[in-house]
Amino acid sequence: MGRLLRFGSRTLWLYVAAAVVVGVVACYAVISASGSSTIQSERGVLDVTQAHISEHPLPLKGEWAFYWQELLSPEDIHNRAGRNGDQNHWMNIPNSWLGYRLDGETLNGTGYATFRLVIKLGEQDRNERLALRLPTIFHAYKLWVNGELLAEVGVVGPDKSSVTPRLATRLVFFQPERDQVELVMQVANFHHKRGGITSNIELGGSGVLTVKTKLRIAADMFITASLLVIGLYHLLLFILRRKERAALYFGLFTVLMGIRSLLVGELLLTQLWPSIPWGLQFKLEYLILCSCAYIIMRYFDCIFPDYVSRWFHLATRIVTAVLCTVVVVTPARIYTQLLVIIGVFIVLHMVYLMVGLAHEAVRRKEGALIFLLVSVVALVTVINDFLYYNEWSRVGNTSPLGLLVFAVAQIILLSSRFTRAATNEERITRELQDANHKLVEMNTNLERLVQERTHALSAAHDDLRTSYDRLLHSEQGRKKLLAYITHDLRLPLSSMLGYVEAVQDGVKPERNDQYLKYIRDNTIRINRMIEELSFLSHLETGQVPYRMRPVQVKPFLQGFFEQYELVVRDAGLEFVLDMGAAEEPTHNLLVVEMDEQRFDQALFNLVSNAMKFTSRGGLVRIALAVEEVEHLRYAVIRVEDSGMGIPPDQLEEIFNRNYKVERPGVEQGAEGSGLGLAICREIVQAHGGTVRAESDGRTGAVFYVSIPCMVRSLK
């Protein structure tokens, strides 16, 4: 088992997530199946003589008589039946008349109609006090029971001007006193995309339905109060600590979901505020639906930053703004037709975030797995609500419960974060206390500390003595170098003098051109040696001015390569520029602060050194890379050749000004003054960088120049 947890944790978590999804779907199926009833009306008659509805309420589902574009009272229906016989139009309830086929014509969502149902009761229910639980019916209705007007919600009329829409749930009571009950309901809708009886009307005993209704109201009140309290608490946390933006977005989301739960189910808002305008009630619900996706996305971005892409941020912001604008400026008949679009937007939004949660859960990010599992539950309940409001599901208003589960899980997640922050604060407090104790102890042992500082000063004095010895050694090396250069100058000067005299005396006139060329080459070499020695001395004493400015490394190297490409190739060598990882977009603005002229000189000294010790047909390569050391970025320029290499034990000495190695197989004149690498090191160090060499002593050498990058990039 432990091996499974160690090596198969990803598979294990996927199994857990799959089990949760299957469990939620199974619960949904069980709830949906438990809500179904085999007793249904046929041709406007519901026979419940074999059922005991006083104790077991049932929904009035099945065929109801349907009178389109007629507002009929029970007396009107009876008179018509006496003249014209039975009604021949039937509609399955619950259902909207939107899309209903009537005499070859498809009805739209607006209009008015009368519905009629006759219920045959059994002997056990005739003398019982019964009740009808009326859900929200779109969007105004009147109800007669056995010819008595028992309920009226809104104002019913034949046109839009005469209809006043209203949403409310009702519980009406009546005494049947006979073996059948006649229900007649007038319904009118001119303000919504669909009209009719779209939810189940329940019939049962007054006591049973009263208890059932109160339990539903209590459940809705519990969910609403929980969401509002959770939301207000987290908003207060944000007010007290503005840095906790996750608490802000979570609090807003939870408060909005709590307000929405007042607008669905048992419509608690209409019970608390009976005169609330119908249009305001609907706009609030749709505005909350349109904005919740954006708010939960911002909350997700606070919990798991750097996952949500910029285009997703922008798209969500635009779509949310467009949908909210449409809801605000258009009437309900228009914006209610966007319910499917809103549902698809929210579901796709949640799926995108859940993919990110799965990715973070696989990476074992704290809280990602819990976030993912409760998001699955919330997604199933939200999808069910959209299916319910589009008449594709009979299990309605599950999203408040799913969102409450989601909110409780988020409380656990945020609480763990706050707890960890508090734990860190306590740890820091303890560390500060320990530091304070140490300071007190240091004060009480001041004499010991003075002695330690005295020893430290003595050690520093020893270090200064060592540095002085090194300087003395360097000065001795300088004298040796001067003697060495003087020796080198004496030999070519003596040779040049001999050749000059040979030319003057006309010893071999046919070789005068060769003598003059030799004199010229040695003159150039001696002049270069003197210039390099003078320049190196100025570098070491800080007398060389630098004109530093921000420079992009990539264009600088490309210009350097193009400037010296022909020079290297004329020497019979292949010259290659390799940007490597610098071709990535993030490296295109790699910037260092440099003096381009001096840095060009340092790089050319390295290239020139490579040219000297690489045979014809060889390779000289310049490459660029980027390194990060302790959160600082460095541009690393690599100069490598395919020459004879450098002995590994001499790699640390080649940058010394007094260093010169005899290289077998190389002409003496090819080695130069030995000052080029020392000059290169001084220039690179003046730029805050370092230079080093690598070689196996047999094939080629590699020089690395590392320069720190600037924090900002060029605009």
Side-chain angles (χ1 to χ4, degrees):
M1 185 65 181
R3 186 177 181 182
L4 175 63
L5 290 174
R6 288 194 304 270
F7 299 103
S9 57
R10 295 184 180 181
T11 304
L12 179 64
W13 292 129
L14 291 177
Y15 286 158
V16 172
V20 171
V21 175
V22 172
V24 171
V25 174
C27 293
Y28 173 80
V30 170
I31 294 174
S32 180
S34 64
S36 62
S37 175
T38 58
I39 301 177
Q40 297 188 7
S41 60
E42 296 181 0
R43 301 182 66 83
V45 178
L46 178 63
D47 188 351
V48 293
T49 55
Q50 302 302 319
H52 194 185
I53 61 175
S54 299
E55 296 182 359
H56 304 287
L58 55 85
L60 304 181
K61 301 196 300 185
E63 294 179 339
W64 288 45
F66 180 57
Y67 304 88
W68 177 243
Q69 298 294 68
E70 295 184 273
L71 298 176
L72 303 176
S73 66
E75 294 180 359
D76 296 333
I77 294 175
H78 295 160
N79 294 334
R80 176 177 293 189
R83 296 193 306 267
N84 303 328
D86 293 337
Q87 163 73 9
N88 58 359
H89 294 300
W90 319 96
M91 176 179 285
N92 280 319
I93 299 299
N95 203 357
S96 170
W97 61 58
L98 175 64
Y100 180 76
R101 299 283 297 179
L102 180 65
D103 298 331
E105 179 184 358
T106 301
L107 304 183
N108 58 25
T110 59
Y112 55 95
T114 303
F115 297 88
R116 178 175 180 268
L117 177 67
V118 176
I119 306 170
K120 295 183 178 180
L121 302 176
E123 294 183 1
Q124 67 276 17
D125 296 319
R126 293 174 185 172
N127 297 320
E128 296 290 339
R129 190 167 185 261
L130 303 181
L132 286 169
R133 182 186 176 277
L134 303 174
T136 56
I137 297 176
F138 293 155
H139 273 106
Y141 67 91
K142 286 183 178 181
L143 173 67
W144 286 267
V145 179
N146 289 336
E148 181 182 359
L149 181 63
L150 291 185
E152 183 175 6
V153 175
V155 178
V156 178
D159 53 44
K160 184 175 181 179
S161 61
S162 60
V163 172
T164 301
R166 189 165 181 265
L167 291 178
T169 59
R170 289 291 178 86
L171 189 64
V172 298
F173 304 93
F174 64 94
Q175 192 77 31
E177 296 180 353
R178 51 186 178 182
D179 60 354
Q180 71 177 21
V181 176
E182 179 190 39
L183 304 181
V184 176
M185 180 175 288
Q186 297 177 358
V187 180
N189 171 61
F190 291 94
H191 299 79
H192 197 271
K193 73 169 185 176
R194 58 194 177 104
I197 307 173
T198 58
S199 300
N200 286 321
I201 299 175
E202 291 185 86
L203 173 64
S206 60
V208 176
L209 275 185
T210 299
V211 172
K212 189 175 181 180
T213 300
K214 289 182 177 180
L215 288 176
R216 288 178 176 174
I217 294 175
D220 284 358
M221 291 180 64
F222 171 75
I223 293 174
T224 301
S226 299
L227 291 173
L228 291 176
V229 169
I230 292 172
L232 293 174
Y233 170 74
H234 284 86
L235 289 178
L236 180 60
L237 284 180
F238 172 74
I239 293 174
L240 297 177
R241 183 175 173 81
R242 295 299 180 91
K243 293 183 178 180
E244 299 295 339
R245 302 191 70 84
L248 168 64
Y249 294 116
F250 179 67
L252 285 176
F253 175 77
T254 311
V255 167
L256 291 178
M257 290 301 104
I259 295 174
R260 181 181 177 273
S261 65
L262 294 172
L263 305 172
V264 297
E266 295 299 320
L267 300 177
L268 297 178
L269 187 60
T270 60
Q271 298 185 30
L272 298 173
W273 184 11
S275 61
I276 179 175
W278 174 87
L280 176 61
Q281 184 177 352
F282 247 74
K283 284 187 183 292
L284 280 176
E285 180 181 357
Y286 272 74
L287 286 174
I288 291 173
L289 286 177
C290 294
S291 59
C292 66
Y294 175 74
I295 295 175
I296 199 64
M297 182 266 294
R298 295 303 302 268
Y299 170 66
F300 178 89
D301 196 33
C302 292
I303 298 297
F304 303 105
D306 302 329
Y307 173 77
V308 181
S309 61
R310 293 182 59 186
W311 69 263
F312 190 76
H313 267 288
L314 180 61
T316 303
R317 191 178 298 115
I318 292 174
V319 174
T320 301
V322 170
L323 292 176
C324 291
T325 302
V326 172
V327 172
V328 170
V329 303
T330 60
R333 283 187 57 189
I334 296 178
Y335 68 74
T336 53
Q337 299 181 21
L338 300 177
L339 185 60
V340 174
I341 297 176
I342 296 173
V344 171
F345 170 63
I346 293 177
V347 170
L348 291 179
H349 202 281
M350 294 183 67
V351 169
Y352 174 85
L353 296 181
M354 288 169 63
V355 170
L357 286 172
H359 181 264
E360 297 295 333
V362 170
R363 295 173 57 189
R364 300 187 181 185
K365 202 71 171 287
E366 181 187 5
L369 183 61
I370 296 178
F371 205 148
L372 176 61
L373 297 181
V374 297
S375 295
V376 172
V377 176
L379 177 62
V380 172
T381 58
V382 169
I383 292 175
N384 172 76
D385 271 18
F386 282 108
L387 295 177
Y388 173 74
Y389 285 113
N390 285 280
E391 303 178 21
W392 298 330
S393 171
R394 294 305 172 196
V395 181
N397 298 324
T398 57
S399 61
L401 179 59
L403 293 173
L404 179 60
V405 174
F406 177 83
V408 172
Q410 299 313 305
I411 291 176
I412 297 174
L413 176 60
L414 293 178
S415 298
S416 66
R417 289 174 176 261
F418 287 136
T419 301
R420 186 172 67 254
T423 303
N424 291 335
E425 183 178 354
E426 292 175 355
R427 178 180 55 81
I428 293 173
T429 302
R430 289 195 300 269
E431 292 176 354
L432 290 175
Q433 290 176 350
D434 293 340
N436 183 61
H437 293 325
K438 290 180 180 179
L439 288 174
V440 172
E441 183 179 355
M442 290 175 64
N443 289 330
T444 57
N445 298 286
L446 183 59
E447 183 178 354
R448 179 176 54 84
L449 291 176
V450 170
Q451 293 177 354
E452 291 177 357
R453 295 297 182 268
T454 303
H455 292 309
L457 289 174
S458 177
H461 178 266
D462 294 338
D463 291 339
L464 288 174
R465 171 63 64 180
T466 303
S467 299
Y468 172 78
D469 294 339
R470 290 177 179 175
L471 288 174
L472 183 60
H473 178 73
S474 176
E475 182 62 26
Q476 293 174 353
R478 185 191 306 269
K479 293 178 180 179
K480 291 180 180 180
L481 178 61
L482 290 174
Y484 170 78
I485 293 178
T486 302
H487 176 270
D488 270 13
L489 289 177
R490 182 180 296 112
L491 179 60
L493 286 174
S494 299
S495 300
M496 290 167 58
L497 180 60
Y499 284 119
V500 170
E501 292 175 352
V503 172
Q504 289 178 342
D505 297 338
V507 177
K508 291 183 179 181
E510 68 274 11
R511 300 186 65 179
N512 284 350
D513 292 338
Q514 182 179 357
Y515 294 156
L516 291 175
K517 182 179 183 301
Y518 181 83
I519 294 170
R520 178 182 179 276
D521 292 342
N522 277 272
T523 303
I524 293 174
R525 180 185 175 195
I526 293 171
N527 184 59
R528 184 186 303 117
M529 184 182 301
I530 295 173
E531 288 178 354
E532 289 179 349
L533 178 60
S534 175
F535 183 71
L536 180 58
S537 299
H538 284 83
L539 284 175
E540 291 177 342
T541 57
Q543 297 178 6
V544 176
Y546 288 88
R547 298 179 180 178
M548 312 294 281
R549 70 179 188 89
V551 176
Q552 296 187 34
V553 179
K554 183 177 176 182
F556 170 79
L557 282 183
Q558 290 174 341
F560 177 87
F561 176 81
E562 293 170 359
Q563 180 180 358
Y564 296 107
E565 183 179 12
L566 292 179
V567 176
V568 180
R569 295 190 186 279
D570 288 342
L573 302 176
E574 183 179 359
F575 196 32
V576 177
L577 176 63
D578 182 13
M579 290 300 180
E583 294 292 341
E584 297 180 5
T586 55
H587 299 154
N588 286 336
L589 293 180
L590 198 63
V591 177
V592 301
E593 191 172 26
M594 69 164 66
D595 183 331
E596 293 178 83
Q597 181 181 359
R598 301 301 182 196
F599 204 81
D600 182 284
Q601 179 182 0
L603 285 184
F604 181 73
N605 284 353
L606 295 178
V607 173
S608 176
N609 186 75
M611 293 169 58
K612 292 176 184 177
F613 302 107
T614 303
S615 303
R616 294 183 65 87
L619 172 67
V620 177
R621 181 192 303 272
I622 297 179
L624 174 64
V626 180
E627 290 183 355
E628 289 194 13
V629 179
E630 297 180 355
H631 306 292
L632 293 177
R633 302 179 69 193
Y634 288 84
V636 181
I637 302 172
R638 188 174 72 250
V639 179
E640 59 180 294
D641 61 70
S642 59
M644 64 180 60
I646 304 171
D649 58 342
Q650 300 180 19
L651 290 175
E652 296 296 328
E653 301 177 14
I654 60 175
F655 295 98
N656 295 334
R657 60 182 294 170
N658 57 350
Y659 174 81
K660 192 172 183 182
V661 63
E662 297 292 335
R663 300 174 184 262
V666 180
E667 297 179 1
Q668 184 69 20
E671 291 190 2
S673 64
L675 300 176
L677 294 182
I679 293 174
C680 176
R681 181 179 65 177
E682 292 294 332
I683 294 176
V684 172
Q685 289 179 349
H687 285 74
T690 59
V691 58
R692 61 185 178 87
E694 291 182 357
S695 178
D696 57 2
R698 296 186 299 273
T699 305
V702 183
F703 289 81
Y704 296 89
V705 178
S706 179
I707 302 295
C709 298
M710 298 179 66
V711 176
R712 61 180 180 87
S713 61
L714 290 176
K715 298 294 183 181

